[in-house]
Amino acid sequence: MIENVLIGQFIDASSIFHRLDPRSKLISLFCIIIAFLLIDNISGYILASLLVVGCITLSQIPLRFFLKGLKPILIILAFTVFYHILFTKGENLLFQYSILSIYKESIIEGFSIVLRIFLLVLITSLLTLTTKPLDLAHGFEILCKPLKRLRFPVEQFSLMLAITLRFIPTIVMELDKIIEAQKARGVNFEDKSFVKKVLSYIPIIIPLLFTSIQRAENLANAIDARAYGDGSGRTRYKVLHFENRDYQVIGISLLVVGVFFLLRMVGG
Amino acid sequence: MNTKDMVMAALFAAVIAVLGLIPPIPISFIPVPITAQTLGIMLAGSFLGRKVGTLSVLVFLVLVALGTPLLSGGRGGLSVFMGPSVGYLISWPIAAFAIGYLTEKFWDNMKLWKLIIVNFVGGVLLINIIGAPVMAIMTDTSIWASITGAIVFLPGDSIKAVVAAMIAVQLKAVSPIKKKTPILTQNMQYSN
């Protein structure tokens, strides 16, 4: 569990994506998401699919890790396809039986929506599969620096992310302890009726919140006592550097946006 | 924002994450199990108030986006925000804000039934009113179909709203939400 939270979905390999700066990955991903949202014709979908397949191959990460992200949304996507096949109207009638009529356009419509969601989910998985959460948080913090002008507390927010990551394992242990303690006091968590099961959250969550408040007070005092301030001007062990490959990748991503914009204008 | 607010929001984000690890409770007659995670969202609003509550939900969602598998069922990563259920995730900080705002409004004479209504409006109705249409837009299906689909969540969510209110009422004494009538004037009344 502890390793799980710190590593996130990160899979170690030595691909170009693993070596890129997290900032350039975030910027390029943003560009590519915009590019995919511009797609409105078959050639766009083919090009986007090729791009995604190419990126997945380059990442050297086994395909099953990418498919894991698709699994939870499969039911909704299947429903979407059926919905469009049954209810969307078109011009080219393919099949008719009493009130049921299926059009060519409706099948294309259903599958293209699902394909677009598939492509977006796969390309965004690439980011979190090749970057550790803390590196990503660091890159995110630097990219958000301009928001400080709007008085958004960027450094404080990044400190909060670090505190949360650090305390999840501690609170998991706390939760286990509370469940054991309540069982020793005779609280029955094995009750059959589901209303009683939901009510059994109460003797777990109340002590959990109590201890969290005490912990927060101690931690806040410790931070203040060390005169940490709001985290601005903090130095880091790991410093991010842009290299040639970072500029190249951002350049390629901008090019991709341009290509997809042209494809939409021309129509194909 | 003082240090205590910041730490409180961060720790509560961790609590929301840990609540997602509690095994979901299956209900026999509904296909959707009850998870404790949205209970955490309701508690963030009704226990921490609008500002710190919203902040803690935002911290949680950013961590999810950065790739930590914190959503119930071990889901996570930016890809979750590209899927059809993104509307539900976006609605969480809004729900925490709404619940926090209403809770602070009724704070001085808070009753259990008021808090139940607040949690139901903010934590059940608002989440589904934002989540279901966004799903319909993402999959380009009809909004009414997805709202009817959202009804299956209603029984479980309503029980959660009641449970969240029961917990928040019991923890009122230690909640960081400030009283509207300052404690100082109350003490002066005693000394008179």
Side-chain angles (χ1 to χ4, degrees), chain A residues 145-170:
Chain A
K145 277 265 166 69
L147 284 178
K148 255 176 88 179
R149 292 263 167 80
L150 304 171
R151 300 197 26 186
F152 183 81
V154 178
E155 279 110 358
Q156 283 177 317
F157 200 81
S158 129
L159 177 65
M160 283 159 70
L161 295 181
I163 294 175
T164 308
L165 276 180
R166 166 61 188 80
F167 274 94
I168 288 169
T170 318

Side-chain angles (χ1 to χ4, degrees), chain A residues 70-175:
Chain A
L70 288 176
K71 225 159 93 189
I73 55 173
L74 274 183
I75 298 175
I76 299 169
L77 294 183
F79 168 79
T80 308
V81 173
F82 278 116
Y83 178 92
H84 280 285
I85 289 176
L86 293 180
F87 296 114
T88 308
K89 299 269 173 285
E91 283 168 359
N92 300 323
L93 194 63
L94 286 181
F95 176 80
Q96 192 159 30
Y97 180 76
S98 73
I99 54 160
L100 181 71
S101 45
I102 293 173
Y103 299 90
K104 190 179 158 201
E105 284 85 359
S106 59
I107 294 178
I108 293 174
E109 171 91 358
F111 276 101
S112 54
I113 286 166
V114 169
L115 182 63
R116 182 190 310 206
I117 293 176
F118 259 45
L119 293 174
L120 283 170
V121 168
L122 289 175
I123 199 80
T124 44
S125 301
L126 188 65
L127 176 74
T128 40
L129 283 169
T130 58
T131 327
K132 286 182 188 147
L134 279 177
D135 293 343
L136 210 49
H138 187 185
F140 183 67
E141 183 192 337
I142 297 173
L143 285 179
C144 286
K145 277 265 166 69
L147 284 178
K148 255 176 88 179
R149 292 263 167 80
L150 304 171
R151 300 197 26 186
F152 183 81
V154 178
E155 279 110 358
Q156 283 177 317
F157 200 81
S158 129
L159 177 65
M160 283 159 70
L161 295 181
I163 294 175
T164 308
L165 276 180
R166 166 61 188 80
F167 274 94
I168 288 169
T170 318
I171 292 176
V172 169
M173 268 157 40
E174 198 84 51
L175 184 76

